[in-house]
Every structure is written in C-alpha cells, then in structure tokens.
Amino acid sequence: MEIPYVVQPRQDTGLYNAKVGIWLFLASEVMLFGALFSSYIILRIGAAPGEWPVGLLNVWIGMGNTLVLITSSITVVLAWASLKMNNFAKFKVYQGFTILLAMTFVVIKSFEYTDKFTHYEVVLQDNTIYDGHLKERTPTHVVIHGHKVEHGRHAEGEAHGSKTPHTDIRIERAQIKKMENYGPWHNTYLAIYFTLTALHALHVIGGAVVIGYLWGPGSKLWKTDPERFTNRIEISGLFWHFVDLVWIFLFPVLYLL
Amino acid sequence: MSLKAFHIVFIAASTLLVLGFGAWCLRNYFGKNGAGVDLALGAGSFLLAAGLVIYGKYFLKKLKRISYL
C-alpha cells in the first residue's frame, strides 16, 4: 500500500505529510521554550529590586552570534530556493555555508561558556570580594586576573567587563571563605541563562547534523526523487528558522534587558 | 506555512531586533558613560535594519511563484 501525500500536498490542506509533522513538532517546541521563557519572566519579576544581575554577558559576542544565525537563515532559504529553481550546485554552496555558520555559532558559544567557567568570585574571611579569571591554582594559593569589588556592585552590572582596571591578585587559600565560578550554580540568572542557551545550542547542533546529512550522503535522493528531496530541505529549513527565531527572542532577554 | 512565509516572519523579527539593538546602543551613547563606538554601532544597526528590509523585498520578488502554504 502506498502512503499518500508523501511528496504531493493534499488538495484541501495544501500540505504534504512531513510539513504537518514538522509544524506539530515545532508546536511542542514552542511549549518547551515558552515554559522556560515564562520561568525566566517569573524569576526576574520576583527578584528583589536591584538584585537581578545585569551586564554579566558580553553583548558584542551575543550580537555577533545573532548576526551569524540571521545569515544562516538566509543561506538555508536560498539553498531551498536553488532546488526549487533546479540548481543543485548552488544548493550545495548555500547549504555548505549554513553548516559553517552553525559551527561558528557553536564555537563562539563554547568560548562564552569557557569564559564563564573560568570566571570566579572569591569571598575572603573578612568578606572582601575579588572577581576575575582564574590564572593559577595551587594547594596554597590562587591567582586571579581581576579586581576588588564592593558589595552590591554585581547587581548593578559594574563587576563584569567594567572599566575597572584588572590586575593579577594572589590570594592565600587560608584567607578564602568561598570561591565559586560563574556556572549555573552561581545565581538564579546564570541558572536560567545556561538552561536556555544550552537547550538552544543542542537544537543548533541537532539542526546542523540533519542539514549536514542532507548536504552530504542524503543528497543522493536528488537524483532519484528531486521533489521529495526539496521537501526535506524545506522541512530542515523550517526547523532551522525556528531555532534562529528562538535566539532572536533569547538575545535581547538575556543580554540587553 | 511554507519556508517562504516563515522566512518573511523571521526577517521581520530580525529587523525589529536590529532596530531595538540600535536604540539600545543610542541609549548607551546618550547615557552616563556613552562612547563613540555606541553611536557607530547604533547607526550600523539602523543601516543593517534597512538592509534586511531591502533583502526581504528582493526575496519576495525572487520567490514570487512559490506558495505561502
């Protein structure tokens, strides 16, 4: 028995099976990200005035990654349009760029994560706080490249990436009361930041794997069933656009506001 | 909704974001510690927003034959 509407759309809906499937899947994704966005809003509104950290992230890196994703959406749609115009060679070029841009996004994100995991807040026994990047760690002392901070300055967004001069600071272990990096355990903001961006990065990686497969071994289908292959590219493009659209919301919420 | 329609939605959202980013840069420029780079980035963002609108029009023209469904 042949499955209907695998390639040709149904007359009444104008949709083929895979398109219905991807939109149902994207609806579930909207609920997933929507729940996390709602959590973010509730946590942010619930925070005491002046307590929500701002300025912890590098806006220029975030904006750079935003431009990378916007460009990748353009290349993914141009790849699909090339197939519609029967130009397989152009498809290969555009989709190759999409894969490269996806990898660029992940690499930039990994640099951002590394920066956060090597960035420490050190509280001394006398409650003095030092903030900076770990340079050396021995059983007797640690050296951070950073500066001394006053209480509350983190909340006002002056601690990270500020114009305060940074120097190498040697701190004896015996003086340290608490030492913690800027991982998801550091505060509520970083917990939701890592949850949202890691989930998003997983989607980018997943999308890139699918697009990569259709660009490489999966592209053989073009020779035997070009219409079905073009549909597959459209489906992967719809997913890619969703992932990019999520970032369009994530960037201002996490980096600017 | 086809990829064509979703792409138009995406470009519209991106344009709004870039405009918002431009406004954010200008707010910084006119703020306490405003620097020339904020003004340059703000202006650059508005130019980019204009570029996205032009691209959107070109895209619609190029894919005139393809359905929105």
Side-chain angles (χ1 to χ4, degrees):
Chain A
M1 193 186 95
E2 198 184 318
I3 301 170
Y5 314 118
V6 171
V7 177
Q8 294 302 327
R10 262 179 80 120
Q11 290 256 315
D12 51 356
T13 62
L15 303 170
Y16 53 88
N17 294 347
K19 203 180 268 187
V20 177
I22 191 73
W23 277 110
L24 285 173
F25 174 66
L26 292 183
S28 74
E29 291 278 73
V30 167
M31 288 182 247
L32 172 66
F33 279 101
L36 288 168
F37 267 107
S38 305
S39 305
Y40 174 88
I41 292 163
I42 289 165
L43 289 168
R44 173 123 197 205
I45 289 171
E51 285 296 309
W52 191 259
V54 286
L56 283 182
L57 302 174
N58 188 319
V59 173
W60 311 119
I61 290 180
M63 190 58 194
N65 251 350
T66 305
L67 295 180
V68 165
L69 285 190
I70 291 174
T71 311
S72 76
S73 272
I74 293 172
T75 56
V76 91
V77 86
L78 291 179
W80 172 66
S82 302
L83 290 181
K84 284 277 185 191
M85 290 160 192
N86 224 12
N87 193 335
F88 186 71
K90 258 192 173 177
F91 155 77
K92 278 277 193 180
V93 173
Y94 283 129
Q95 207 69 318
F97 274 115
T98 307
I99 297 161
L100 281 177
L101 289 163
M103 285 160 68
T104 306
F105 178 88
V106 174
V107 168
I108 292 173
K109 201 80 217 149
S110 70
F111 278 116
E112 239 185 330
Y113 275 19
T114 306
D115 179 73
K116 284 282 153 279
F117 284 112
T118 56
H119 182 198
Y120 278 80
E121 184 184 64
V122 184
V123 183
L124 305 190
Q125 299 291 353
D126 62 359
N127 289 326
T128 307
I129 301 172
Y130 287 101
D131 190 277
H133 286 85
L134 188 68
K135 281 192 78 178
E136 192 184 328
R137 187 204 293 255
T138 71
T140 57
H141 70 272
V142 293
V143 177
I144 62 162
H145 184 73
H147 60 99
K148 189 178 172 181
V149 292
E150 304 300 329
H151 282 294
R153 285 186 73 183
H154 285 287
E156 290 159 17
E158 292 178 19
H160 186 69
S162 65
K163 292 165 183 83
T164 317
H166 285 43
T167 53
D168 285 354
I169 304 159
R170 182 189 160 107
I171 306 164
E172 298 303 319
R173 286 263 185 190
Q175 287 181 280
I176 299 171
K177 186 162 79 177
K178 186 185 165 199
M179 182 173 163
E180 193 175 70
N181 65 7
Y182 280 66
W185 39 79
H186 190 68
N187 58 36
T188 310
Y189 167 74
L190 285 169
I192 197 89
Y193 161 76
F194 276 104
T195 306
L196 278 164
T197 56
L199 184 67
H200 177 263
L202 282 176
H203 279 74
V204 170
I205 293 166
V209 167
V210 172
I211 289 171
Y213 171 76
L214 292 172
W215 182 76
S219 65
K220 283 178 197 155
L221 186 64
W222 172 256
K223 287 176 188 156
T224 53
D225 196 346
E227 206 171 343
R228 193 170 182 187
F229 180 68
T230 307
N231 287 350
R232 284 186 178 180
I233 296 302
E234 184 180 18
I235 296 305
S236 64
L238 284 169
F239 177 76
W240 193 252
H241 271 66
F242 171 78
V243 171
D244 293 353
L245 195 61
V246 168
W247 183 258
I248 294 293
F249 286 96
L250 276 182
F251 171 67
V253 165
L254 295 173
Y255 287 75
L256 302 182
L257 300 177
Chain B
M1 190 194 279
S2 73
L3 184 54
K4 177 186 172 180
F6 200 11
H7 190 62
I8 293 300
V9 171
F10 178 78
I11 292 298
S14 300
T15 307
L16 289 175
L17 172 76
V18 173
L19 283 173
F21 184 71
W24 184 84
C25 290
L26 289 185
R27 195 198 67 168
N28 285 350
Y29 175 70
F30 292 111
K32 205 168 65 178
N33 299 316
V37 70
D38 294 319
L39 180 65
L41 283 165
S45 298
F46 291 126
L47 282 176
L48 184 60
L52 282 170
V53 171
I54 292 165
Y55 162 76
K57 280 187 164 183
Y58 157 79
F59 174 78
L60 278 177
K61 201 174 157 189
K62 190 174 175 176
L63 272 73
K64 212 188 303 185
R65 291 181 302 110
I66 296 171
S67 159
Y68 283 98
L69 264 179

